[in-house]
Amino acid sequence: MCLQTMAQVNYKSREEIPEKYKWNFSDIYENWDAWEADFKAISVDMEEILSCKGTLGESSDNLLKLMTAQENLMKKAYKVYQFVSFQSTVDTRNMDLQAKLQKVGLLFAGFGPVTAWISPEMIAIPEAVMKQWLAENKGLKVYEFELLDMYRLQKHVLSEELGKLVSYYSQVSETAGSVFEALSTADIEFQEVELSDGSKVTVTPGMYSQITTNNRNQADRRKAYEAIYDVYYKNKNTYAAVYNGIIQSEWANARARNYESCLDASLEGNNIPKDVYLNLIKTVKENTAPVQKYYKLRKKVLGLEKYYGFDGSISLVDFDKKYPYDEAVKVVTESVLPLGKEYQEKLKTATASGWLDVYENPGKRSGAFSSGVYGVHPYMLLNYDETLEYVFTLAHELGHTMHTTLSNETQPFTTSNYTIFVAEVASTFNERLLLDHMMETTKDPKERIALLTQSIEGIIGTFFAQTMFADYEYQVHTMVEQGQPVNAEILTNTWGEIADQYYGDVSEKTQYSNYPWTRIPHFYNSPYYVYQYATCFASSAKLYKDVTEGSKTEKQEALKRYITLLQSGGNDFPMEQLKKAGVDLSKPEAMLAVINQLDKLVDQLAAEIEKIKN
C-alpha cells in the first residue's frame, strides 16, 4: 500500500481542515461571553435550590419548585461543560481550555456539599404521600419515574452529613481518570518508524489502524504494533497505579452507599439483574469456538507461518479500497432507508450541519463518540481514515446520534437521557443495515469477502471482545474488593489468562501481548460499561430480525416498536424498554443466537474464499 495514498486525509494542523468537516461550537454558545453568562447563572439556580431546604415535605408545590430549579441548573450545566469539553477534545494541548475545564469541574464539585440534603429530605416524604402529590399536581407528572424510583434505592441514599462528606472527595475521585487522559493524549509521545518502502511515519492510533488494516507487509505491521504498544508498555506501572486508584475510588463509593460490590453499585441504578452480567460472561466464555475457527481460517488464508494479533485487521484478499468520507456518508444514508424516510432525513441533517468532527489532527483525542447537548443537538467525533472499518464506525456513531436526536425530540429533559444499557442498540443496528446494503449493491467478489470479514470482526469486537473486557473488569474489581494487591504484573497476567480462554493458541505471543489493558479508555473513563456493548449487540440482532423478517404487517409493527424504543429516552428501566420492543435479555437465547450467527458467517466466508480460488 502506497503511504501517500494512506495518508491523504492526515492534516498537519486543524486549521487545514475545511470547516464543513469540523464541529460548529456556536450552536451551543455564540461566544465565550454567552458561556460565561450561563456559568454565572448556575450559581443563581443553586441559590434557588438552597431556598427549598427544609420545605420539601410541606407541599407538592415546594417539591415542584426544587425539581424545576434542578432542571434549569442541569440544562445549563450540560451546555457549559460540553462547550469547553468538545473544544478541548479536538485540542487537548490547549492549556486555556484545560483551565476552563478545571473551572467547570470545581463548580460541579461544589454542588455536592450544598445539595447533600436533597436526597434524604425527599426520601423522608412517605411514598403514599408522593403518589398522592403526583396525582394532584400536574407539574410533577414529568418527574414521576424519577421520584418513585428513589424509594427502590432508599437503602443506598446517604444521610446529609455523609453525603456532604463523600461529595468533598468527588474531585479527588476523578483525578485518576484525568491522569489517564493526560498520559494517553496530551503528554504521550508516539514513536516514528521506517517502513519497508523507506517512508517514515509517526505511529499515532490513527496511523496504527491504517497500517495494520492496509499494509500487507507483516514486518511493517509488526513495526507499527511494537511502536504503539511500546509507548504504553513503558508506562505500565503508571497505568496500573491509575487503574487501581480508579477501582479503589469506586469501591469506596460503593461501600459508602451500602453496596456489596462495585458491580452491584453499577447495575442497581438501572435495575439490571446481576445474573444478566454473570450469565453473559459464562455463556460467551463457554462458546468461543467460532472465534478461534475464524482466526485459524485467517492464518491459513493469509499464508502466515506465524499469526499475531497485529495481523487481525489486514484483509484476507488484496482489497484496500478507499472510501472517501463524502461517499461513505452517501452509502450510510442510503442504508438506513428501511427505518423510514423521516429517519433518513434526520440523518442527512446530522451529516450536513456541523454536528460531526471528521478528521484526525494533532492534539485531537483518538477514537470516536457521539454526545448530546439537550436543546441543541448531538456532537459526533471521528478520526476518519477512509477504510471500510471506518465506514462502519460512521454508521455506528450515527446510530447513537439518531438515538439521541429522537430521544431529545420526544422526551422532556428529565427523561431524555437513555441508559448505557440500551445505548449500543441503535449503533449496532445501523451497522447491520450498512452490511446488508453494501452486500446487496457490490458486484466485487473481493468486497463481499471484505464485508463478511467486517461483519465477523464486528461481532467479535462488539460481542466477544467486550464480554472478555467485562470478564477482566469483574476479576480485577473482585481482587480490589477482597483486599488483594493490584499491580502491573497482576493486571498483565490476568489479561493473559482470560485472553487464552477466549482466543486459544492461534496467535503467537509477544512481549506486548498482554498489555492492551493499558490503553482501553473505557476501563479508566467508564468502568463496567463495556458489557453493555455485548448485551446491546444481542438486543439489536433480535430487533433487526423482527424489523426485516416476517409479513409486511409484522415488520411494520416491529419497526414501530423499535422507533418507539429510540424515542423513549430514559422513561423506564432499560430491561423493560427492551421487553416492550421485543427483547428479553434474562434468557440466554439472544446471546446464543449471536454466537450461532458468527459460526455461520465464518462458514460463509470460507465458502466465498473457495469461490475465488476456483
Side-chain angles (χ1 to χ4, degrees):
M1 184 66 195
C2 174
L3 180 64
Q4 284 73 25
T5 304
M6 286 173 57
Q8 62 184 328
V9 293
N10 284 1
Y11 292 94
K12 293 181 180 179
S13 70
R14 185 164 178 80
E15 289 68 31
E16 292 181 10
I17 303 174
E19 291 300 317
K20 68 177 181 177
Y21 300 125
K22 294 190 287 190
W23 277 334
N24 180 4
F25 300 114
S26 64
D27 287 347
I28 307 177
Y29 292 112
E30 282 291 336
N31 50 49
W32 283 106
D33 289 340
W35 176 85
E36 189 70 37
D38 257 6
F39 184 88
K40 293 178 180 177
I42 288 174
S43 297
V44 177
D45 291 328
M46 184 55 68
E47 290 299 321
E48 178 80 359
I49 290 171
L50 286 172
S51 72
C52 299
K53 186 175 182 180
T55 70
L56 301 186
E58 295 175 2
S59 71
S60 62
D61 286 338
N62 288 352
L63 179 60
L64 178 59
K65 179 183 177 183
L66 170 74
M67 300 301 291
T68 303
Q70 281 188 310
E71 180 174 321
N72 290 337
L73 184 149
M74 291 308 299
K75 284 180 179 178
K76 295 185 185 75
Y78 276 116
K79 292 178 65 178
V80 162
Y81 172 74
Q82 296 287 46
F83 188 67
V84 184
S85 177
F86 289 147
Q87 294 184 67
S88 178
T89 293
V90 296
D91 188 9
T92 61
R93 302 172 184 176
N94 188 319
M95 291 300 102
D96 181 55
L97 291 172
Q98 292 295 327
K100 284 185 168 67
L101 267 180
Q102 289 183 1
K103 181 179 179 181
V104 174
L106 289 170
L107 175 69
F108 289 0
F111 293 167
V114 296
T115 59
W117 58 273
I118 294 177
S119 291
E121 188 168 326
M122 287 178 68
I123 206 72
I125 301 170
E127 187 172 2
V129 172
M130 182 67 74
K131 288 180 177 178
Q132 182 181 345
W133 286 358
L134 287 167
E136 296 172 350
N137 192 326
K138 293 181 180 179
L140 283 175
K141 191 68 178 176
V142 70
Y143 306 108
E144 181 173 9
F145 180 69
E146 174 186 353
L147 289 171
L148 292 182
D149 189 42
M150 70 178 177
Y151 294 100
R152 179 178 64 85
L153 300 170
Q154 187 168 359
K155 66 179 180 179
H156 304 297
V157 174
L158 301 179
S159 66
E160 179 180 353
E161 183 179 353
L162 185 55
K164 185 182 293 186
L165 180 63
V166 169
S167 70
Y168 287 143
Y169 290 94
S170 62
Q171 199 71 353
V172 177
S173 299
E174 295 169 5
T175 299
S178 299
V179 172
F180 170 79
E181 191 70 22
L183 184 63
S184 303
T185 53
D187 289 345
I188 200 164
E189 294 185 9
F190 294 111
Q191 299 179 7
E192 184 180 78
V193 299
E194 182 175 335
L195 301 178
S196 57
D197 62 358
S199 60
K200 295 181 179 180
V201 297
T202 299
V203 187
T204 63
M207 180 56 69
Y208 173 69
S209 176
Q210 288 187 23
I211 293 172
T212 54
T213 301
N214 299 294
N215 193 314
R216 304 200 72 80
N217 185 309
Q218 189 184 42
D220 284 346
R221 296 197 298 273
R222 176 188 282 275
K223 282 186 177 180
Y225 164 80
E226 291 177 346
I228 195 99
Y229 268 98
D230 193 58
V231 174
Y232 297 96
Y233 174 79
K234 287 177 178 176
N235 291 315
K236 59 184 180 295
N237 293 313
T238 303
Y239 281 114
V242 169
Y243 192 35
N244 184 42
I246 287 170
I247 301 177
Q248 293 288 359
S249 175
E250 284 184 84
W251 181 218
N253 276 287
R255 282 178 290 177
R257 289 174 170 79
N258 301 313
Y259 289 104
E260 293 182 3
S261 70
C262 295
L263 181 59
D264 289 317
S266 176
L267 298 180
E268 191 162 356
N270 290 325
N271 203 21
I272 307 296
K274 191 173 181 177
D275 283 348
V276 169
Y277 190 100
L278 299 179
N279 288 339
L280 169 70
I281 291 174
K282 181 176 183 294
T283 302
V284 174
K285 190 182 289 187
E286 291 174 351
N287 292 276
T288 60
V291 177
Q292 296 177 33
K293 181 166 72 171
Y294 171 64
Y295 286 123
K296 288 175 183 176
L297 175 64
R298 286 188 59 83
K299 180 180 180 181
K300 177 182 176 183
V301 173
L302 292 171
L304 296 173
E305 182 179 343
K306 292 185 177 182
Y307 183 86
Y308 294 89
F310 53 77
D311 297 320
S313 298
I314 199 74
S315 60
L316 293 175
V317 290
D318 189 10
F319 181 83
D320 45 24
K321 176 181 176 180
K322 290 297 182 183
Y323 297 83
Y325 173 71
D326 292 330
E327 177 187 317
V329 169
K330 181 174 181 293
V331 171
V332 172
T333 303
E334 291 172 350
S335 73
V336 300
L337 185 58
L339 296 181
K341 291 187 176 180
E342 185 178 352
Y343 183 100
Q344 189 180 58
E345 287 303 314
K346 290 181 188 297
L347 188 142
K348 288 180 181 178
T349 299
T351 57
S353 307
W355 296 17
L356 279 65
D357 204 89
V358 179
Y359 294 116
E360 185 179 39
N361 63 256
K364 180 178 178 179
R365 64 156 278 186
S366 61
F369 67 73
S370 178
S371 183
V373 182
Y374 190 86
V376 185
H377 58 72
Y379 279 74
M380 191 171 131
L381 183 89
L382 299 172
N383 283 274
Y384 191 77
D385 63 6
E386 299 195 333
T387 61
L388 179 62
E389 180 181 4
Y390 231 111
V391 180
F392 278 81
T393 298
L394 174 65
H396 179 103
E397 296 301 337
L398 280 170
H400 289 309
T401 294
M402 292 303 300
H403 192 173
T404 301
T405 299
L406 290 168
S407 175
N408 288 357
E409 287 177 351
T410 310
Q411 297 294 320
F413 176 79
T414 185
T415 55
S416 63
N417 191 25
Y418 50 85
T419 65
I420 295 172
F421 197 77
V422 297
E424 299 298 337
V425 171
S427 55
T428 51
F429 194 109
N430 275 20
E431 287 190 67
R432 182 61 187 270
L433 285 172
L434 177 62
L435 172 70
D436 281 3
H437 175 70
M438 295 185 75
M439 286 290 285
E440 288 170 4
T441 56
T442 184
K443 297 179 181 179
D444 183 350
K446 290 185 177 180
E447 189 170 29
R448 290 181 64 81
I449 290 173
L451 286 165
L452 282 170
T453 303
Q454 178 67 39
S455 180
I456 290 168
E457 293 286 350
I459 294 176
I460 293 174
T462 308
F463 185 76
F464 283 90
Q466 302 302 328
T467 302
M468 173 188 160
F469 295 172
D471 192 351
Y472 176 79
E473 283 192 283
Y474 181 66
Q475 291 194 32
V476 177
H477 277 75
T478 300
M479 291 177 197
V480 170
E481 291 161 3
Q482 293 177 351
Q484 298 176 21
V486 172
N487 55 39
E489 182 180 4
I490 290 170
L491 292 173
T492 302
N493 290 339
T494 301
W495 182 277
E497 290 170 3
I498 298 173
D500 288 345
Q501 291 175 303
Y502 277 76
Y503 301 116
D505 58 358
V506 182
S507 294
E508 301 290 330
K509 293 286 188 179
T510 74
Q511 72 176 107
Y512 306 114
S513 291
N514 296 330
Y515 286 91
W517 61 267
T518 59
R519 63 184 296 252
I520 296 174
H522 282 121
F523 289 169
Y524 302 85
N525 299 331
S526 46
Y528 279 134
Y529 180 109
V530 295
Y531 83 97
Q532 293 161 118
Y533 282 110
T535 54
C536 284
F537 193 94
S539 299
S540 69
K542 171 66 164 62
L543 293 169
Y544 182 86
K545 184 171 184 270
D546 292 346
V547 170
T548 57
E549 296 180 10
S551 68
K552 183 178 180 180
T553 300
E554 288 172 335
K555 290 189 288 188
Q556 288 176 338
E557 287 299 315
L559 178 58
K560 183 178 179 181
R561 291 195 302 271
Y562 176 63
I563 296 297
T564 299
L565 171 68
L566 302 188
Q567 292 173 331
S568 64
N571 66 2
D572 201 348
F573 299 122
M575 287 283 287
E576 295 305 311
Q577 291 177 316
L578 288 171
K579 284 179 182 177
K580 292 174 188 175
V583 181
D584 187 353
L585 287 174
S586 65
K587 300 176 181 178
E589 283 78 9
M591 315 299 176
L592 291 171
V594 176
I595 293 165
N596 293 332
Q597 179 189 2
L598 175 63
D599 196 46
K600 291 177 182 177
L601 284 171
V602 174
D603 290 341
Q604 186 180 352
L605 176 63
E608 292 285 350
I609 291 171
E610 284 300 317
K611 289 178 184 177
I612 284 187
K613 288 181 179 180
N614 299 329

